[in-house]
Amino acid sequence: MKKYLINPNQKLSKISRDIYGHFSEHLGRCIYEGLYVGEDSEIPNVKGMRCDVVNALKEIRIPVLRWPGGCFADEYHWMDGIGPKEKRKKMVNTHWGGVTEDNSFGTHEFFELCEQLGCEAYINGNVGSGTVREMCDWVEYMTFDGISAMADLRRKNGRDKPWRVKYFGIGNETWGCGGHMLPEDYVAEYRKYETYIRDYDSNKHIFRVACGPDSDNYHWTEVLLQKAESRIEGLSLHYYCGPMNHEGDRGHATDFDADDYYGTLKRSEKIEEILTRHENLLDHYDPKKRIALIVDEWGAWYKVEKGTNPGFLYQQNTMRDAIIAAMNLNVFNKHSDRVRMANIAQTVNVLQSVALTDGEKMLLTPTYYVFKLFREHQDSTLLGSFITNSKVGGEYNITKFYESASLTDDGTIISTIANTSESEGETIDCQIADFRISSIEAEILSGDMNDHNTFDDTENVKPKPFTDFTVRADGFTAELPACCVVRFIIK
Ligand code: AHR
């Protein structure tokens, strides 16, 4: 039995809704087919955006979408993606499969998608192969309401009013595919580019995100903070997990055993250490916690599904991924004093997706349902909470329970718990300080670690009402099965 304490008197940071954000790149079938099918498609769509995927994303209250990359962002020239589609320049998507990109999904289409989703836009600019002028023109095109060459061009292309750009990323992985720069080189580029990201409407500030480290590259973070702390608002961080054997083989998404399962979870739980060590550096240079940590790429990365283009990064998604999502989201909640946005990679058909498509068919993955269970945390207040934990997975030594609790504006407590053990359930005895419970509703996502949905069986893994608990005035006792994610709504 584990003791679980929630303290509503200990109100911590606000859990930004943007922690529940997504990432969509011109990669494989994420944008084309996954989100955008074109107006002439037989797949039901509104202005080219497929309705099933848009509705599913609205249901999990997608708060923000990052676009156009990823590595693609640093070879994307936005002007190629505006104006009449038949005249748009074609390019080779050199990073992702060498396919021809026809630029039929560009700036106007991206904002149309955000408007349909009701989410904020996070644009990633091109530092690797672009210019300051190109980036500066893009910002003017998107956000300037007056008379100027770029605003006039936008109007000529059918959009009168500017759009709102909440976040703007200055380069992507500039330590790798975005230019292979040294931190000293990038920070000089950052200072220059950032200067020319103009706020054309003082009420609509564009939040600048500097390209931060690859996972545990603390040196990168330190150089950026030493040389540009006062000019940075958000610092990005990328961290992927997945099994990796000595040959560099990433392992398969559905065909794995308990050893692979715990090996992947081991890599996943490293996120906590990585966040903590970057946060320690941030606390040193920015003790007032002005700078946000933006985990704008995270998730599990496996071998591609057999018979698919290796450059398309298409993988299935199981209960293992649901556990990984729940571990990460609980950790992000707990670090929400610094982590103010996160974007799972990637929304549809690429890496740890929430939806997969096959022609007109769509399935929702176990990861999708974790976002659905956790959606009530968006914009709530993190509460102090603690569980008497233990370890599972033998030598992998994985923390058994990942949890977080928050308080919504109407005084409801949301608690989400993941049991990482693939074989052992356990009783949880929860006590809530100074709170009289009138009702508890709960939902559970559970199954065997390899369980997943297929296009022939889309309902194999989905949340169900959870009733295996008894309520007291000041808490509850619940019987949690192995490999599960549970959400309690406590009033
Ligand atoms: O998400 C896939 C790729 O992973 C992105 O394009 C890149 O930023 C990262 O290396």
Side-chain angles (χ1 to χ4, degrees), residues 4-278:
Y4 179 33
L5 304 171
I6 300 176
N7 184 1
N9 299 321
Q10 194 185 7
K11 296 185 179 61
L12 301 165
S13 38
K14 179 171 170 183
I15 297 176
S16 165
R17 68 171 73 177
D18 294 341
I19 284 178
Y20 292 85
H22 293 257
F23 167 39
S24 56
E25 180 168 9
H26 288 241
L27 194 177
R29 297 185 302 114
C30 180
I31 296 287
Y32 300 109
E33 288 187 47
L35 290 158
Y36 179 74
V37 287
E39 290 179 53
D40 299 335
S41 171
E42 283 176 6
I43 297 171
N45 69 83
V46 173
K47 297 191 180 162
M49 312 300 155
R50 59 185 296 164
C51 300
D52 50 1
V53 173
V54 166
N55 289 337
L57 293 172
K58 280 167 78 174
E59 182 67 22
I60 55 173
R61 300 187 197 142
I62 179 173
V64 59
L65 188 61
R66 176 175 182 242
W67 173 82
C71 297
F72 181 79
D74 279 291
E75 56 182 355
Y76 182 61
H77 299 285
W78 69 272
M79 282 225 178
D80 297 345
I82 56 170
K85 291 199 185 198
E86 60 290 355
K87 291 204 180 134
R88 292 189 193 174
K89 222 190 231 174
K90 295 187 174 42
M91 66 181 278
V92 190
N93 191 334
T94 54
H95 282 292
W96 306 120
V99 293
T100 300
E101 161 67 56
D102 69 2
N103 276 307
S104 55
F105 187 96
T107 304
H108 290 250
E109 290 75 20
F110 173 66
F111 282 102
E112 171 62 34
L113 175 61
C114 290
E115 280 173 5
Q116 288 189 26
L117 293 171
C119 77
E120 299 284 358
Y122 174 15
I123 301 276
N124 210 115
N126 178 347
V127 170
S129 69
T131 62
V132 174
R133 170 144 192 201
E134 183 183 14
M135 194 181 283
C136 167
D137 281 350
W138 199 8
V139 173
E140 184 182 313
Y141 186 90
M142 292 185 287
T143 62
F144 184 54
D145 201 9
I147 305 297
S148 78
M150 290 301 119
D152 290 349
L153 183 58
R154 181 190 69 234
R155 286 187 197 100
K156 188 171 151 228
N157 288 330
R159 173 78 185 196
D160 179 23
K161 285 284 157 204
W163 297 284
R164 171 171 148 87
V165 176
K166 184 170 179 187
Y167 299 98
F168 197 95
I170 298 175
N172 168 73
E173 297 195 352
T174 48
W175 36 262
C177 64
H180 292 107
M181 297 180 207
L182 299 172
E184 292 77 6
D185 299 330
Y186 171 66
V187 79
E189 291 294 297
Y190 173 78
R191 293 176 67 98
K192 190 169 61 183
Y193 275 78
E194 182 274 332
T195 306
Y196 298 96
I197 306 287
R198 304 291 188 200
D199 284 331
Y200 288 105
D201 177 343
S202 51
N203 294 318
K204 292 187 185 148
H205 173 66
I206 300 175
F207 188 97
R208 287 100 161 124
V209 180
C211 172
D214 179 15
S215 52
D216 55 2
N217 186 345
Y218 305 108
H219 174 65
W220 182 277
T221 295
E222 183 133 42
V223 172
L224 258 62
L225 293 174
Q226 273 167 355
K227 300 196 187 296
E229 179 273 312
S230 66
R231 305 203 68 82
I232 293 176
E233 292 179 288
L235 183 70
S236 74
L237 165 70
H238 289 182
Y239 183 64
Y240 287 98
C241 70
M244 188 77 85
N245 67 19
H246 298 300
E247 286 79 52
D249 184 323
R250 287 179 180 275
H252 193 258
T254 55
D255 184 12
F256 58 88
D257 59 18
D259 193 64
D260 298 321
Y261 172 83
Y262 287 116
T264 315
L265 264 48
K266 185 82 208 158
R267 293 172 77 95
S268 176
E269 70 176 12
K270 197 168 182 236
I271 187 72
E272 179 109 54
E273 177 197 324
I274 290 172
L275 289 178
T276 305
R277 291 189 60 185
H278 288 295

Side-chain angles (χ1 to χ4, degrees), residues 274-317:
I274 290 172
L275 289 178
T276 305
R277 291 189 60 185
H278 288 295
E279 285 164 1
N280 289 344
L281 285 168
L282 282 158
D283 287 350
H284 176 74
Y285 290 95
D286 169 38
K288 293 199 171 138
K289 295 192 190 288
R290 187 185 53 77
I291 300 175
L293 203 47
I294 307 286
V295 189
D296 59 14
E297 290 187 29
W298 68 273
W301 190 323
Y302 308 116
K303 269 200 249 187
V304 299
E305 292 299 318
K306 265 205 191 100
T308 64
N309 187 328
F312 282 13
L313 310 186
Y314 175 75
Q315 65 189 40
Q316 250 289 3
N317 194 293

